């Protein structure tokens, strides 16, 4: 998210369609080098199904979980790290997982079944971002992204090189309801004044699991990257 290459970044068209940190290129934004996939051309609200509740009004009781029957756990805007949070590693990438909150099952090479909570959405974000950089990209998009014009746009783009691993630092819960989540994925980078870059992502609860929302023009994040300071985001416990 210096010129960190993504799994699909080598192709200039792919810069418009790739996902998150593993699919972005550093550019200068607001006087700082921020990682971007591409600048969205359309209003981010076109990809979100209805208004989302602000993080300050997240429900205090666990949301009902269906599909994979994963416990929702803490649904606050600053969820505590689970005791079983651990780090998996593959091809130079390391990312947080929880056997309790997600992924709690596998579908082929991919982790699935996440908690219907902000923490579950954040775990899904890093799982998907890593999957598109370490596994078959188009298979990952088929699994994690619901059908939409944006998904068709992404799948139509030619494949290109894999990118360099990134270091996941934490996340920000921008808003949450049991059906929609807005979560900013934060990773460390030496190219911003704060040492961190955040990509704002949208998720929707579909068929018992979180799916990544894609804008119609192929952009997989909403708005602009940010440079959050430590203390303004929830950090992953025991970051390697």
């Amino acid at each position: 998210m210096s010129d960190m290459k993504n799994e699909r970044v080598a192709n200039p068209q792919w810069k418009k369609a790739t996902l998150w940190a593993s699919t972005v290129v550093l550019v200068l934004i607001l006087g700082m080098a921020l990682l971007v996939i591409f600048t969205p051309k359309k209003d981010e609200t076109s990809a979100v199904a209805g208004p989302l509740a602000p993080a300050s009004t997240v429900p205090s009781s666990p949301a009902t979980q269906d599909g994979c029957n994963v416990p929702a756990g803490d649904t606050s805007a600053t969820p505590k790290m689970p005791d079983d949070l651990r780090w998996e590693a593959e091809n130079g990438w390391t990312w947080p997982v929880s056997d309790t909150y997600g992924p709690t099952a596998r579908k082929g090479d991919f982790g699935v079944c996440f908690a219907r909570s902000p923490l579950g959405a954040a775990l899904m974000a890093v799982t998907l971002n890593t999957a598109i950089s370490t596994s078959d990209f188009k298979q990952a998009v088929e699994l994690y992204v619901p059908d939409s014009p944006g998904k068709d746009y992404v799948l139509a783009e030619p494949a290109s090189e894999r990118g360099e691993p990134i270091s996941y630092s934490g996340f920000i819960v921008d808003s949450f309801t049991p059906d929609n989540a807005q979560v900013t994925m934060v990773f460390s980078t030496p190219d911003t004044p704060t040492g961190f870059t955040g990509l704002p992502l949208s998720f929707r609860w579909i068929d018992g699991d979180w799916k990544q929302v894609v804008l119609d023009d192929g952009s997989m994040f909403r708005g602009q990257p940010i440079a959050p300071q430590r203390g303004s985001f929830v950090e992953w416990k025991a970051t390697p």
Side-chain angles (χ1 to χ4, degrees), residues 136-160:
D136 185 278
F137 169 78
K138 292 194 174 183
Q139 286 185 18
V141 172
E142 287 282 8
L143 175 63
Y144 292 118
V145 177
D147 292 339
S148 65
K151 178 179 181 178
D152 294 339
Y153 185 101
V154 171
L155 292 175
E157 293 298 299
S160 57

Side-chain angles (χ1 to χ4, degrees), residues 180-198:
N180 293 280
Q182 305 277 17
V183 176
T184 295
M185 183 180 68
V186 179
F187 56 96
S188 62
T189 171
D191 302 287
T192 67
T194 65
F196 299 100
T197 294

Side-chain angles (χ1 to χ4, degrees), residues 37-141:
I37 304 165
F38 78 106
T39 301
K41 302 174 184 175
K42 300 186 178 181
D43 188 353
E44 64 193 72
T45 59
S46 65
V48 180
L52 299 179
S56 60
T57 61
V58 295
S60 58
S61 59
T64 301
Q65 174 86 6
D66 55 8
C68 303
N69 295 317
V70 181
D74 187 352
T75 57
S76 73
T78 55
K80 295 180 180 179
M81 291 296 101
D83 292 337
D84 65 354
L85 189 79
R86 58 186 174 80
W87 292 79
E88 290 195 347
E90 181 178 346
N91 297 331
W93 288 77
T94 58
W95 66 100
V97 299
S98 165
D99 292 334
T100 302
Y101 299 106
T104 64
R106 297 197 69 81
K107 189 171 184 179
D109 294 332
F110 306 104
V112 295
C113 293
F114 296 88
R116 196 173 186 176
S117 65
L119 176 61
L123 287 166
M124 189 274 188
V126 296
T127 298
L128 169 54
N129 187 64
T130 305
I132 65 173
S133 300
T134 60
S135 303
D136 185 278
F137 169 78
K138 292 194 174 183
Q139 286 185 18
V141 172

